[in-house]
Amino acid sequence: MSPKITTELLKQLRQVMKNPRYVQEPVQAYIVPSGDAHQSEYIAPCDCRRAFISGFDGSAGTAIITEQHAAMWTDGRYFLQAAHQMDSNWTLMKMGLKDTPTQEDWLVSVLPEGSKVGVDPFIIPAEQWKRMSKALRSAGHDLVPVKENLIDTIWTDCPQRPCKPLITLDLSYTGVSWRDKIVALRSKMAERKVMWFVVTALDEVAWLFNLRGFDVEYNPVFFAYAVIGMNTIRLFIDGDRIMDPAVREHLQLDSTLEPEFKIQVMPYGSILSELQAVGAGLSPKEKVWLSDKASYALTEAIPKAYRYLTPYTPICIAKAVKNTAETEGMRRAHIKDAVALCELFNWLEKEVPKGTVTEILAADKAEEFRSQQKDFVELSFATISSTGPNGAIIHYKPVPETNRTLSVNEIYLLDSGAQYKDGTTDVTRTMHFGTPSAYEKECFTYVLKGHIAVSAAIFPNGTKGHLLDSFARSALWDCGLDYLHGTGHGVGSFLNVHEGPCGISYKTFADEPLEAGMIVSDEPGYYEDGSFGIRIENVVLVIPAETKYNFKNRGSLTFEPLTLVPIQTKMIDVNLLTEKECNWVNEYHQKCREVVGAELERQGRHEALGWLLRETEPLARVQ
Amino acid sequence: MSPKITTELLKQLRQVMKNPRYVQEPVQAYIVPSGDAHQSEYIAPCDCRRAFISGFDGSAGTAIITEQHAAMWTDGRYFLQAAHQMDSNWTLMKMGLKDTPTQEDWLVSVLPEGSKVGVDPFIIPAEQWKRMSKALRSAGHDLVPVKENLIDTIWTDCPQRPCKPLITLDLSYTGVSWRDKIVALRSKMAERKVMWFVVTALDEVAWLFNLRGFDVEYNPVFFAYAVIGMNTIRLFIDGDRIMDPAVREHLQLDSTLEPEFKIQVMPYGSILSELQAVGAGLSPKEKVWLSDKASYALTEAIPKAYRYLTPYTPICIAKAVKNTAETEGMRRAHIKDAVALCELFNWLEKEVPKGTVTEILAADKAEEFRSQQKDFVELSFATISSTGPNGAIIHYKPVPETNRTLSVNEIYLLDSGAQYKDGTTDVTRTMHFGTPSAYEKECFTYVLKGHIAVSAAIFPNGTKGHLLDSFARSALWDCGLDYLHGTGHGVGSFLNVHEGPCGISYKTFADEPLEAGMIVSDEPGYYEDGSFGIRIENVVLVIPAETKYNFKNRGSLTFEPLTLVPIQTKMIDVNLLTEKECNWVNEYHQKCREVVGAELERQGRHEALGWLLRETEPLARVQ
């Protein structure tokens, strides 16, 4: 991996930073954040501006370019990668280290008096603008919006913004029509006394209209905004994809409808001017609801007194609670996914000893088996296929330079998932194709105990996920071990594999309480630098729990695993399990046998069925 | 309990709200917060202004009086009490209920346009002022500081501010001289580049100077402020108590000292003008460190650009980590406390069946036994002595109207503690003097499992206490039960029984990580309205834990119980305990026997020793 040479690019950028064609007054610094205009986690190639200007293409990082300096802030996952990908024009700012200045502090320390700092107001979230702006102002500088993105002005071979065809989802997949979703949204708006709701997150637009797209890899979304009024619906979307008859019919664009359900389709780029018109036309007490993560540009379009900002939108919260059609779809998707993984692991078991299977080949094979399943659309994220020491790199993705061959002497960790039309999967299994050491089994068993502690937890309605995080760590903690990531994230239903507002992590406190119907991952791990990585991940559904008593009539919740892939018993030190944990494993494997076994049978995959049956033999605890 | 008649008082208050002698312009509303000028949890009688004006004397509540209305905000613990204690002039605002307006929203809804809202700037914390002021301003009103407290102007028989003699603590109690504490504080100040530190919390002043007082019941503190500069020490304190030769010698007031350790004693009331003088004399970049909970008056004395505000002060954090002298003192105090409780429970066991022991008598008897112990000073909080249904009232304190007689048919809950010169105690035991029902035993055992889960927890250095809270609830949750309070609070060393910055609660996220030497309570419970209450509370010391492995060299921590009072085995359903839990109980009781037994022997308390031995017989699990 050789660094990108950025001398010329930086020179060009510094020129446009002073060019009156793009900036009213010269800016002494220009900020290039990671995200797109929708604050997406995964972004399209045309939005990879930070990677273009710096060479560093990790998922998180902010570049700031001044007349003299170019600096990149990123976190511990990416220190090495960023250092490799950037040339000597760049200074790496290692976030989380004590001596690393914040972006604000650094700017204040390097800028001449009374400087202007520019940023694309569409890319920076309003809350971040506010913080940065305040800090700069108190030091005598100004944060200014630069309308035209300065990177785009110098990015001559910038890829086009994707505009791929849409797919429509009928009621059998979504359970609720877009019309009923609009009705529910308007009732939430009425409750909060807001007149308008602005949909800025791509997965929220997709969910609301029961449409999916392919504009961003792994996330079945499309570039669009929506503005929902009490009597109007405006959808901002480009391309002739809206001319597709199936889409037109789905959205009832050509039908005679009550005016409040008539969708006005407008160009993607007109969102700002339309929102400004909404903002200008507001009567006193008419509020506009936006996510506090919406861009500064859109937030500013609404005068401050009329804004109603919340960390989670009503769509985000409604989307998180899956209805019966969605949970049934997720169940189906997970059964198909399990079939594919049984095939894969059966194949690996035969092939690995030959020494011909690399991490990339294993990942490709996993995709191949998944793509054989009904309604397969694409992967839900880049497969983490890692063996031996690569397994300890939590966000590893095999590339030719690092591609390692699987062997009977190393632990193999596969974290992968797919988008099916009926659901999204995300599963991690850690396997040994030879004989694991006692130490490897010990660590695996602690991770398994943590996985079970969360999966089998019973907790009151209203409990936030972060209160369950320690359950996943307790067995590791007892032995002085731990893992440095959260335990779980929300999972979309044929949508983003990471979604809010719930999760299981020590890091968040602002998560929304878990509710029956929410879907999260349960994925504790243990990683030993330079040696191996272990993670056991199921996607689990929050369900009501039956309990002996019912304090204050609050009701209780627990989890039902949707993922039904055997957990390798060879890796378990049974004597470290309690009776309850041992029963959990056996019952889980019994369910895998029954449910996935039947599907393997139906699909005539007898060899994989044999593998499943072998792998799900009950554990026996020595008393 | 009949309500206080407040018609005349409110009339008088409304007059002074318009009286130019006290207010520059009339105020249309006046806020009466709960606290004192030091944001103390426990306050002196002269500071009980909210109770004076309303009749409601619970520990939490804010009164707001307008020309037309008088309203009281308090939380769920006090809805009943406040309703009983206030007359019909008052509207009770039940905090935590969905339809209850915030103080700001309510003010905005009732005030005429352009109103002024007054508050004593010494009583309102700066952060609260900021929030309230912003909300009022955005609705066209003004929050204004009213220098003279308006309640004081109409409170004709207001008690005097206490000014009781001080006691000095030598190195054998404190481990560190006040001089060394000043040195350490100045080094923290230098680290953060601040020139001044303002000590506003009473327990922080007491801790810093190794002095204790009696100005506030249960909390061994005295009214004072301190301002520490890099070369000066100013102590603001009233009365001739500073003329006491022991105090003068302790503070070296008459010795020849390096100027930077010379304490300037100033009148308590001169803090504001002195701080204003400090504020006026600052050079650029000279910062002044204050708690963000300091009063608005003191915070405003320092120009905004010079303020350095933190949620926890360096004293708060240093005070929380006990040194060897302090932990040894705490151990001694807890042994003496256990002796007193063995005496008490032995006495109760004999007396309760006679039907002559009331809750108040039991509480008095507990105090009597404690007062027989060496270095006993006072109780550390009002004893919660509650039997049967009274036990379900979490913050119950027996009064003649509610005083119930203990019997062999009801569960008895005693939550009590004392201040000894060497340490502070806080212990809860739940006892049955007859035969508990299977259900009572079941609930008690779940609470015990929670208590043990926290007490025996092993967790990495740097873990915040709130991450342990769910451990205490897991066994209850499994059966659909829970308790509606946090699991633990920090405990002072011969200081406040509740202190920051650590604790174990699902409610906080801003707690500081647990460190070896910190002391917290571990007190899960279960409460059944109208029937009984169960709580098992030990004070525990954070200590390093030995673990098999040591991930990232972080080290691990666990707890050592300082409280050594038997947990009633009669209440335990042994079959619900795991082997590990059973061993924990037996080892705990073995330690009670050895340590407290030896002290009972030494004190010649043979009957109580007999009780201890009977109560600490090992549990046997049926396999």
Side-chain angles (χ1 to χ4, degrees):
Chain A
M1 205 155 31
S2 60
K4 174 164 183 170
I5 305 303
T6 59
T7 310
E8 188 51 36
L9 282 179
L10 288 172
K11 202 174 132 196
Q12 288 173 17
L13 178 62
R14 285 172 179 136
Q15 275 161 2
V16 293
M17 283 163 61
K18 289 180 284 196
N19 186 336
R21 204 170 130 191
Y22 304 116
V23 290
Q24 283 189 304
E25 282 183 82
V27 297
Q28 283 70 45
Y30 188 65
I31 305 176
V32 186
S34 258
D36 64 9
H38 306 270
Q39 282 66 56
S40 308
E41 185 189 4
Y42 291 72
I43 57 178
C46 62
D47 287 317
C48 297
R49 300 182 178 96
R50 185 250 302 151
F52 168 75
I53 191 67
S54 69
F56 166 55
D57 66 2
S59 74
T62 299
I64 303 185
I65 299 92
T66 67
E67 283 157 15
Q68 308 287 336
H69 308 274
M72 176 69 67
W73 281 258
T74 190
D75 63 62
R77 291 173 294 170
Y78 293 117
F79 292 165
L80 266 179
Q81 181 181 336
H84 280 139
Q85 295 184 319
M86 299 192 307
D87 70 9
S88 62
N89 289 299
W90 290 84
T91 308
L92 179 57
M93 298 293 188
K94 299 181 172 180
M95 287 164 71
L97 299 198
K98 219 181 153 184
D99 295 331
T100 304
T102 63
Q103 294 164 25
E104 295 89 331
D105 286 350
W106 180 79
L107 277 168
V108 169
S109 74
V110 302
L111 286 177
E113 239 171 84
S115 286
K116 303 228 173 291
V117 178
V119 68
D120 180 342
F122 266 97
I123 304 298
I124 188 167
E127 47 164 13
Q128 214 170 304
W129 170 286
K130 199 175 157 185
R131 202 180 57 239
M132 174 72 79
S133 172
K134 196 177 158 188
L136 290 177
R137 201 165 43 235
S138 80
H141 308 295
D142 259 331
L143 185 63
V144 298
V146 179
K147 222 174 140 188
E148 190 140 3
N149 190 294
L150 297 186
I151 301 296
D152 294 357
T153 66
I154 61 168
W155 194 354
T156 46
D157 56 347
C158 174
Q160 277 224 308
R161 183 161 299 280
C163 194
K164 303 208 176 127
L166 303 177
I167 57 174
T168 62
L169 292 182
D170 65 33
L171 274 182
S172 69
Y173 292 107
T174 66
V176 181
S177 68
W178 63 260
R179 218 182 130 120
D180 287 345
K181 287 181 179 178
I182 295 274
V183 171
L185 173 62
R186 284 182 178 146
S187 112
K188 288 279 169 204
M189 289 161 62
E191 256 176 40
R192 310 285 185 107
K193 302 196 177 83
V194 303
M195 299 297 290
W196 299 91
F197 178 79
V198 186
V199 197
T200 55
L202 297 184
D203 62 336
E204 297 192 11
V205 180
W207 179 87
L208 183 61
F209 293 103
N210 293 334
L211 292 171
R212 296 295 186 269
F214 301 91
D215 290 354
V216 178
E217 198 180 7
Y218 306 126
N219 290 171
V221 296
F222 51 93
F223 285 103
Y225 291 101
V227 176
I228 312 300
M230 293 309 276
N231 300 301
T232 55
I233 303 171
R234 294 180 203 165
L235 176 61
F236 298 81
I237 185 168
D238 275 351
D240 45 13
R241 50 192 174 178
I242 212 78
M243 299 310 291
D244 176 341
V247 173
R248 295 196 75 77
E249 199 194 317
H250 174 83
L251 295 178
Q252 298 182 265
L253 293 180
D254 305 310
S255 320
T256 324
L257 274 178
E258 308 94 300
E260 67 267 33
F261 293 110
K262 190 86 199 155
I263 299 175
Q264 300 164 256
V265 177
M266 299 182 156
Y268 177 71
S270 69
I271 175 73
L272 184 60
S273 55
E274 285 296 326
L275 208 53
Q276 283 165 336
V278 165
L282 295 167
S283 333
K285 299 220 164 184
E286 283 192 359
K287 296 260 180 188
V288 178
W289 196 342
L290 285 145
S291 162
D292 67 2
K293 278 150 216 88
S295 69
Y296 175 73
L298 295 193
T299 309
E300 278 296 295
I302 306 301
K304 202 170 169 187
Y306 298 94
R307 282 178 219 155
Y308 181 71
L309 305 183
T310 55
Y312 298 114
T313 71
I315 296 186
C316 173
I317 292 169
K319 175 166 62 63
V321 182
K322 274 70 176 173
N323 59 42
T324 312
E326 290 170 322
T327 52
E328 285 311 311
M330 285 293 266
R331 270 186 236 280
R332 283 196 307 274
H334 279 84
I335 295 167
K336 293 182 286 186
D337 212 55
V339 165
L341 286 188
C342 288
E343 284 282 11
L344 175 75
F345 290 131
N346 176 55
W347 181 83
L348 285 175
E349 211 172 76
K350 291 184 299 178
E351 299 298 321
V352 167
K354 301 179 189 160
T356 52
V357 183
T358 64
E359 293 168 340
I360 293 178
L361 177 58
D364 290 346
K365 204 75 191 168
E367 182 166 2
E368 182 190 322
F369 284 121
R370 283 189 162 109
S371 69
Q372 294 164 2
Q373 294 299 313
K374 187 173 170 249
D375 279 344
F376 171 85
V377 178
E378 60 176 335
L379 297 186
S380 58
F381 58 96
T383 299
I384 299 175
S385 169
S386 54
T387 187
N390 288 342
I393 303 166
I394 295 170
H395 291 266
Y396 179 77
K397 181 193 155 184
V399 289
E401 291 86 345
T402 62
N403 194 17
R404 203 172 166 91
T405 302
L406 278 64
S407 88
V408 294
N409 302 313
E410 286 182 349
I411 289 181
Y412 176 64
L413 184 159
L414 179 76
D415 184 352
S416 62
Q419 301 286 0
Y420 301 89
K421 228 178 136 180
D422 41 12
T424 303
T425 66
D426 180 0
V427 47
T428 310
R429 287 294 179 268
T430 304
M431 318 282 283
H432 204 294
F433 299 103
T435 306
S437 73
Y439 178 60
E440 288 166 340
K441 288 172 67 174
E442 182 186 359
C443 294
F444 183 93
T445 309
Y446 296 146
V447 173
L448 176 61
K449 287 166 84 80
H451 180 94
I452 297 171
V454 169
S455 196
I458 293 173
F459 48 92
N461 253 315
T463 301
K464 291 179 167 198
H466 72 262
L467 291 171
L468 308 181
D469 184 78
S470 298
F471 290 156
R473 299 176 198 275
S474 181
L476 287 161
W477 283 357
D478 277 346
C479 290
L481 304 180
D482 197 6
Y483 55 95
L484 302 181
H485 59 73
T487 300
H489 53 81
V491 179
S493 175
F494 183 28
L495 259 181
N496 297 358
V497 73
H498 295 163
E499 67 169 30
C502 56
I504 303 176
S505 173
Y506 62 99
K507 283 181 268 185
T508 44
F509 197 56
D511 50 334
E512 288 284 305
L514 293 169
E515 272 183 61
M518 285 181 167
I519 293 180
V520 295
S521 69
D522 169 14
E523 46 180 316
Y526 176 67
Y527 310 91
E528 196 137 308
D529 283 350
S531 305
F532 63 83
I534 293 166
R535 185 160 63 249
I536 304 173
E537 175 187 25
N538 279 353
V539 168
V540 295
L541 171 68
V542 182
I543 57 169
E546 290 297 319
T547 53
K548 189 168 175 189
Y549 307 111
N550 187 7
F551 179 64
K552 302 260 181 207
N553 262 315
R554 285 193 299 176
S556 293
L557 300 170
T558 188
F559 297 110
E560 175 197 326
L562 295 178
T563 306
L564 292 174
V565 177
I567 295 164
Q568 198 177 36
T569 50
K570 185 203 281 183
M571 286 291 290
I572 301 174
D573 181 344
V574 185
N575 298 315
L576 294 176
L577 296 185
T578 63
E579 195 183 331
K580 206 176 136 191
E581 288 162 345
C582 198
N583 291 342
W584 186 94
V585 173
N586 288 338
E587 283 162 25
Y588 178 72
H589 278 158
Q590 183 57 31
K591 191 166 174 195
C592 292
R593 276 187 175 209
E594 286 168 14
V595 177
V596 181
E599 182 65 17
L600 284 164
E601 183 75 53
R602 207 188 58 75
Q603 296 192 17
R605 297 175 182 271
H606 299 293
E607 204 180 313
L609 176 58
W611 177 87
L612 172 69
L613 295 177
R614 281 196 309 280
E615 286 292 310
T616 52
E617 282 290 333
L619 293 176
R621 250 172 104 238
V622 187
Q623 289 292 329
Chain B
M1 204 156 29
S2 59
K4 174 164 182 169
I5 305 304
T6 59
T7 310
E8 187 50 38
L9 282 178
L10 288 172
K11 202 173 133 196
Q12 288 172 17
L13 179 62
R14 285 170 180 138
Q15 276 161 1
V16 295
M17 282 163 62
K18 289 180 284 197
N19 187 335
R21 204 171 131 192
Y22 304 116
V23 289
Q24 284 189 304
E25 282 184 82
V27 297
Q28 283 70 46
Y30 189 65
I31 304 175
V32 186
S34 258
D36 64 10
H38 305 271
Q39 282 66 56
S40 307
E41 183 189 4
Y42 291 72
I43 56 177
C46 62
D47 287 318
C48 297
R49 300 181 179 98
R50 184 250 303 151
F52 167 76
I53 191 67
S54 69
F56 167 54
D57 66 2
S59 74
T62 299
I64 304 185
I65 299 94
T66 68
E67 282 156 16
Q68 307 287 336
H69 306 275
M72 175 70 67
W73 280 258
T74 190
D75 63 62
R77 292 174 295 170
Y78 292 117
F79 292 165
L80 266 179
Q81 181 181 335
H84 281 140
Q85 294 184 320
M86 298 193 306
D87 69 11
S88 62
N89 288 300
W90 290 84
T91 307
L92 179 57
M93 297 293 189
K94 297 180 173 181
M95 288 164 70
L97 300 198
K98 219 182 154 185
D99 295 331
T100 304
T102 63
Q103 294 163 25
E104 295 88 331
D105 286 349
W106 180 80
L107 278 168
V108 170
S109 73
V110 302
L111 287 178
E113 241 170 81
S115 286
K116 303 225 172 293
V117 177
V119 67
D120 181 341
F122 266 98
I123 304 299
I124 188 166
E127 46 162 15
Q128 214 171 304
W129 170 285
K130 198 175 157 185
R131 202 180 57 238
M132 173 72 80
S133 171
K134 196 177 158 188
L136 290 177
R137 200 165 43 234
S138 81
H141 307 295
D142 258 332
L143 185 63
V144 297
V146 179
K147 222 174 140 187
E148 189 140 3
N149 190 294
L150 296 186
I151 302 295
D152 293 358
T153 66
I154 61 168
W155 193 354
T156 46
D157 57 347
C158 174
Q160 277 224 309
R161 183 160 300 280
C163 194
K164 302 207 177 130
L166 304 176
I167 57 175
T168 62
L169 292 182
D170 65 33
L171 273 182
S172 69
Y173 292 107
T174 67
V176 181
S177 68
W178 62 260
R179 220 182 128 120
D180 287 345
K181 288 181 179 179
I182 295 274
V183 171
L185 172 62
R186 284 182 178 147
S187 114
K188 289 277 168 203
M189 289 161 62
E191 257 175 40
R192 310 285 186 107
K193 300 197 178 81
V194 302
M195 298 298 290
W196 301 89
F197 179 79
V198 186
V199 197
T200 55
L202 298 184
D203 63 336
E204 296 192 12
V205 180
W207 179 86
L208 183 60
F209 292 102
N210 293 334
L211 291 171
R212 296 294 186 268
F214 299 91
D215 290 354
V216 178
E217 200 180 7
Y218 306 126
N219 290 171
V221 296
F222 51 93
F223 285 104
Y225 291 102
V227 177
I228 312 300
M230 293 309 277
N231 300 300
T232 56
I233 304 171
R234 294 179 203 166
L235 177 61
F236 299 81
I237 185 168
D238 275 349
D240 44 13
R241 50 191 173 178
I242 212 77
M243 299 309 291
D244 175 341
V247 173
R248 294 196 75 78
E249 199 192 318
H250 174 82
L251 295 177
Q252 297 182 266
L253 293 180
D254 305 311
S255 320
T256 323
L257 275 178
E258 308 94 299
E260 68 266 33
F261 293 110
K262 190 86 198 155
I263 299 176
Q264 299 165 258
V265 177
M266 299 182 155
Y268 177 71
S270 69
I271 176 73
L272 183 60
S273 54
E274 285 297 326
L275 208 53
Q276 283 166 337
V278 165
L282 295 168
S283 331
K285 300 222 162 180
E286 283 192 358
K287 295 259 181 190
V288 178
W289 197 342
L290 284 145
S291 163
D292 67 3
K293 278 150 215 88
S295 69
Y296 174 72
L298 295 193
T299 309
E300 279 297 296
I302 305 301
K304 202 169 167 185
Y306 298 94
R307 282 178 219 156
Y308 181 73
L309 305 183
T310 56
Y312 299 114
T313 70
I315 296 186
C316 174
I317 293 168
K319 174 166 63 63
V321 182
K322 274 70 176 174
N323 60 41
T324 312
E326 288 171 322
T327 51
E328 285 310 311
M330 285 293 266
R331 271 187 234 279
R332 284 196 307 274
H334 280 83
I335 296 167
K336 293 182 285 187
D337 212 54
V339 166
L341 286 189
C342 289
E343 284 282 11
L344 174 76
F345 290 130
N346 176 55
W347 180 83
L348 285 175
E349 209 172 78
K350 289 184 300 178
E351 299 298 320
V352 167
K354 300 179 188 160
T356 51
V357 183
T358 65
E359 293 168 341
I360 293 179
L361 177 58
D364 290 347
K365 205 75 191 169
E367 182 166 2
E368 182 191 321
F369 284 122
R370 283 188 161 108
S371 68
Q372 293 164 4
Q373 293 300 313
K374 186 171 171 249
D375 279 344
F376 171 85
V377 178
E378 60 176 334
L379 297 186
S380 58
F381 58 97
T383 299
I384 299 176
S385 169
S386 55
T387 186
N390 287 342
I393 304 166
I394 295 170
H395 291 265
Y396 179 77
K397 179 195 157 183
V399 289
E401 292 86 345
T402 62
N403 193 16
R404 203 173 165 90
T405 302
L406 278 64
S407 87
V408 295
N409 303 315
E410 287 182 348
I411 290 181
Y412 175 64
L413 184 159
L414 179 76
D415 185 352
S416 62
Q419 300 286 1
Y420 302 89
K421 230 178 133 180
D422 40 12
T424 302
T425 67
D426 180 1
V427 47
T428 309
R429 287 296 179 268
T430 304
M431 317 281 283
H432 204 295
F433 298 104
T435 306
S437 73
Y439 178 60
E440 288 166 340
K441 288 171 68 174
E442 183 186 359
C443 295
F444 183 93
T445 307
Y446 296 146
V447 173
L448 175 62
K449 286 166 84 82
H451 180 94
I452 296 170
V454 169
S455 197
I458 293 173
F459 48 91
N461 253 315
T463 301
K464 290 179 168 198
H466 72 262
L467 292 170
L468 308 180
D469 184 78
S470 298
F471 290 156
R473 299 176 199 275
S474 182
L476 287 161
W477 283 357
D478 278 346
C479 290
L481 304 180
D482 196 7
Y483 54 95
L484 302 181
H485 59 72
T487 300
H489 53 81
V491 179
S493 175
F494 183 27
L495 258 181
N496 297 358
V497 72
H498 296 163
E499 68 168 30
C502 57
I504 303 176
S505 173
Y506 62 98
K507 284 181 267 185
T508 44
F509 198 56
D511 50 334
E512 289 284 306
L514 292 169
E515 272 183 60
M518 285 181 167
I519 292 179
V520 294
S521 69
D522 170 13
E523 45 179 316
Y526 176 66
Y527 311 91
E528 196 137 307
D529 283 348
S531 304
F532 62 84
I534 292 166
R535 186 160 62 250
I536 304 173
E537 175 186 25
N538 280 352
V539 168
V540 295
L541 172 68
V542 182
I543 57 168
E546 290 297 319
T547 53
K548 190 167 174 188
Y549 306 112
N550 187 7
F551 179 64
K552 302 258 179 208
N553 262 315
R554 285 194 300 177
S556 293
L557 300 171
T558 188
F559 297 110
E560 175 198 326
L562 295 177
T563 305
L564 294 174
V565 177
I567 294 164
Q568 199 178 35
T569 49
K570 184 203 280 185
M571 287 291 290
I572 302 175
D573 181 344
V574 185
N575 298 315
L576 294 176
L577 295 185
T578 63
E579 195 183 332
K580 207 177 136 190
E581 289 162 345
C582 199
N583 291 342
W584 185 94
V585 172
N586 289 339
E587 282 162 25
Y588 178 71
H589 278 158
Q590 183 57 31
K591 192 167 174 193
C592 291
R593 275 186 175 208
E594 283 168 15
V595 178
V596 181
E599 181 65 17
L600 283 164
E601 184 75 54
R602 206 189 58 76
Q603 295 192 19
R605 298 174 182 270
H606 299 293
E607 204 180 312
L609 177 57
W611 178 87
L612 171 69
L613 296 177
R614 281 196 309 280
E615 287 292 311
T616 51
E617 283 290 332
L619 293 175
R621 251 173 104 236
V622 187
Q623 289 294 328

